[in-house]
Every structure is written in C-alpha cells, then in structure tokens.
C-alpha cells in the first residue's frame, strides 16, 4: 500500500510538472517568457514572443501575457484630468484613450516601466494640460474674453472640440508614439466640464437670454396684433366713408332730378 501511495504521488507530481511545461496563448494575445528574470530572445538578440497556441517552456519559466488587440483607458470622474485654460478657468476633461501594444516594442511595454499604462496616462494628461492652456481656434486669433458670462475658453473649447481632439491626438502620437510600446489609435474627449461658478454664470446668462427672447417675442406679437387692428380699423373707416359718399351721391342725384322736374321747391 505504501508503494502504491508513493507511485500515485510521483505520478501526480509528474503530471503537475508536465503541466508547468506548457502554456496556452489566446487569440489576440502574445506571450513573452522570462527565465530567472531574463527574457528569452531570438538568435538576433530581439525579444522572443509567442503567438496564439500551445507552447513548451521550462517549469521555472514565467509567462507574461499581453493583449495586442485594441484597448481603452477611460479617464473620467475622479480619474479625469483637470486643466487650466488660457483665461485661467479650471476645466475638467473626460477622455478615452484607445491604444494597441506594438509587437516590435513589447520589451519597452513590459520591462521599460513598472506600470507602463499609468506612466502613459500621466504623460497624456501633461500633454492635454499643455494643449488646453495654449489652445486657440486659429494661430493668429485674439485672446478669448475674460468675462465669465461670455463662456471664455470653456465656450471656445466646447465649440472647437473637434479641432482640439484632433490636435491632442496628433500631439500624443508625435510625442508618445511607440516610445512606451503602445500605438495610439484614437483620443476621444467625451466631455468638457466648467467649474461650478462658471456653470452658474452660464446658466444665469442662458436664463436671462431666454427671458429676453421671450419678452421680445411677446412684444413683437403684441405689436403685430396692434398693427393688424389698426389696419383693420382703417379699412373699416374707409368702408364707412365710401358708404357715406355713396349715400350723398345718391341723395344729390335725387335732388337734381327733383330740380329738373321743378318740384324741388315743394320739398
């Protein structure tokens, strides 16, 4: 019985050791293997990566799995970025980074930084703040209005969000590029939010404009009604005058007939 138990234990140990000698890579992923902390490399010295499928390794090797399909990092809410605009307004920016790890730069992505995406996110936030602080619709345009009721930089950024998004995307690709082992597919600015005091000022302006538009519409409607009533009164007065004129003409004709008949004096 003891011998059978030992054999069973050895078989289980052998099965577990054999299982540690193989690893599976899913579709849309790549794997990099490190042996005692050193990454396996090809004959030319480049990092060796393993495509989807089943692969052999030593039991003591460690597998680093990397998803090479498009991924996204959502920077919103508490994780969103705050930036100072040209007029000094502090804005909160919600954005989405869409990126793909680059196979030829996996060494930078895995071993260049301890937390690569946190570092890339921090670099992106710095670029975003710089772009917003110096953003203008045109290179030679005048500085934006400093009055909060006019919306200032906030109104400009909301109006030119497409242009801002394009500049940030180009800037991120040019400055970051594949430096950290990732390629940016897109940068989407999902929302630009003003500070509370600016939002209150804008709401007050919108309400005042709405009330002014409503008062103007009411005044215009009343003026049109009065104009129509005056035109109608003139038409009625003209009709009455024509009726009196017709009556006088008829009366004059009757008197002329009586005068011709010599009977007018009798009347």
């Amino acid at each position: 019985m003891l011998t059978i138990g030992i054999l069973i234990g050895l078989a289980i140990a052998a099965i577990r050791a054999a299982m540690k000698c193989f690893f599976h890579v899913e579709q849309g992923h790549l794997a990099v293997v490190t042996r005692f902390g050193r990454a396996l490399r090809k004959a030319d010295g480049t990092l060796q990566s393993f495509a989807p499928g089943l692969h052999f390794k030593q039991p003591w090797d460690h597998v680093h799995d990397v998803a090479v399909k498009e991924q996204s990092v959502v920077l919103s809410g508490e994780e969103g970025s705050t930036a100072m605009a040209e007029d000094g307004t502090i804005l909160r920016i919600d954005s989405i980074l869409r990126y793909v790890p680059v196979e030829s730069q996996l060494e930078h992505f895995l071993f260049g930084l301890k937390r690569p995406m946190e570092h890339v996110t921090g670099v992106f936030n710095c670029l975003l703040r710089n772009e917003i602080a110096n953003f203008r619709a045109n290179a030679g345009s005048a500085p934006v209005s400093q009055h909060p009721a006019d919306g200032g930089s906030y109104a400009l950024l909301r109006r030119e969000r497409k242009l801002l998004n394009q500049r940030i995307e180009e800037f991120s690709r040019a400055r970051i590029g594949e430096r950290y082992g990732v390629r940016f597919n897109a940068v989407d600015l999902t929302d630009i939010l003003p500070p509370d005091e600016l939002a209150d000022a804008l709401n007050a302006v919108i309400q005042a404009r709405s009330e002014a538009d409503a008062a103007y519409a009411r005044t215009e409607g009343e003026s049109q009604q009065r104009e129509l009533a005056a035109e109608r009164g003139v038409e009625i007065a003209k009709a009455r005058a024509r009726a009196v004129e017709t009556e006088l003409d008829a009366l004059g004709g009757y008197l002329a007939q009586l005068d011709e008949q010599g009977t007018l004096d009798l009347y």
Side-chain angles (χ1 to χ4, degrees):
M1 292 296 293
L2 180 61
T3 303
I4 296 176
I6 293 174
L7 292 175
I8 293 176
L10 291 175
I12 294 175
I15 293 174
R16 294 186 63 181
M19 291 178 62
K20 290 184 177 181
C21 291
F22 294 92
F23 65 96
H24 174 257
V25 182
E26 297 182 359
Q27 191 68 35
H29 291 243
L30 289 176
V32 174
V33 175
T34 55
R35 183 171 298 165
F36 302 116
R38 184 177 183 273
L40 299 185
R41 299 181 180 274
K42 300 178 183 177
D44 58 359
T46 58
L47 190 69
Q48 182 178 3
S49 60
F50 295 85
L54 188 64
H55 303 277
F56 175 81
K57 70 178 183 65
Q58 300 296 336
W60 47 81
D61 289 345
H62 181 69
V63 179
H64 302 266
D65 185 84
V66 180
V68 292
K69 49 191 174 182
E70 184 176 87
Q71 303 175 54
S72 62
V73 177
V74 179
L75 303 174
S76 62
E78 294 182 356
E79 297 180 356
S81 176
T82 57
M84 179 180 292
E86 184 185 9
D87 61 354
T89 304
I90 303 297
L91 303 175
R92 197 186 80 202
I93 311 296
D94 293 343
S95 58
I96 298 176
L97 297 177
R98 291 190 284 135
Y99 70 95
V100 175
V102 181
E103 182 177 358
S104 61
Q105 301 291 331
L106 284 182
E107 185 169 2
H108 296 288
F109 184 76
L110 289 174
F111 311 119
L113 297 168
K114 186 174 182 179
R115 297 182 178 87
M117 286 317 302
E118 289 185 11
H119 187 82
V120 171
T121 301
V123 173
F124 169 76
N125 285 332
C126 292
L127 298 178
L128 177 63
R129 293 188 183 99
N130 179 74
E131 187 65 26
I132 289 179
N134 298 282
F135 179 80
R136 293 185 183 178
N138 299 305
S141 60
V144 295
S145 173
Q146 300 291 329
H147 198 284
D150 297 330
S153 294
Y154 169 69
L156 175 64
L157 292 170
R158 295 280 295 188
R159 186 172 62 251
E160 301 291 343
R161 180 188 294 187
K162 183 177 180 181
L163 177 60
L164 174 63
N165 196 90
Q166 179 182 352
R167 290 183 182 178
I168 292 174
E169 185 172 334
E170 294 174 353
F171 201 56
S172 298
R173 288 178 177 175
R175 289 297 184 93
I176 300 178
E178 299 179 359
R179 180 179 178 184
Y180 302 106
V182 297
R183 181 182 68 252
F184 283 100
N185 286 349
V187 178
D188 302 322
L189 299 181
T190 57
D191 204 356
I192 302 176
L193 303 173
D196 294 338
E197 57 271 15
L198 179 57
D200 295 339
L202 292 175
N203 290 334
V205 170
I206 293 173
Q207 183 178 359
R209 288 178 178 174
S210 298
E211 293 176 355
D213 292 340
Y216 177 80
R218 288 195 301 269
T219 303
E220 186 178 17
E222 293 175 358
S223 299
Q224 290 178 352
Q225 289 179 354
R226 292 177 182 179
E227 182 180 359
L228 292 175
E231 291 177 355
R232 185 62 176 169
V234 171
E235 291 178 358
I236 294 174
K238 288 181 178 179
R240 290 178 178 176
R242 285 194 295 269
V244 172
E245 183 179 1
T246 301
E247 184 179 357
L248 292 175
D249 289 341
L251 181 59
Y254 293 144
L255 293 176
Q257 290 178 4
L258 293 175
D259 185 42
E260 290 176 358
Q261 295 173 2
T263 58
L264 182 58
D265 294 337
L266 298 176
Y267 288 92

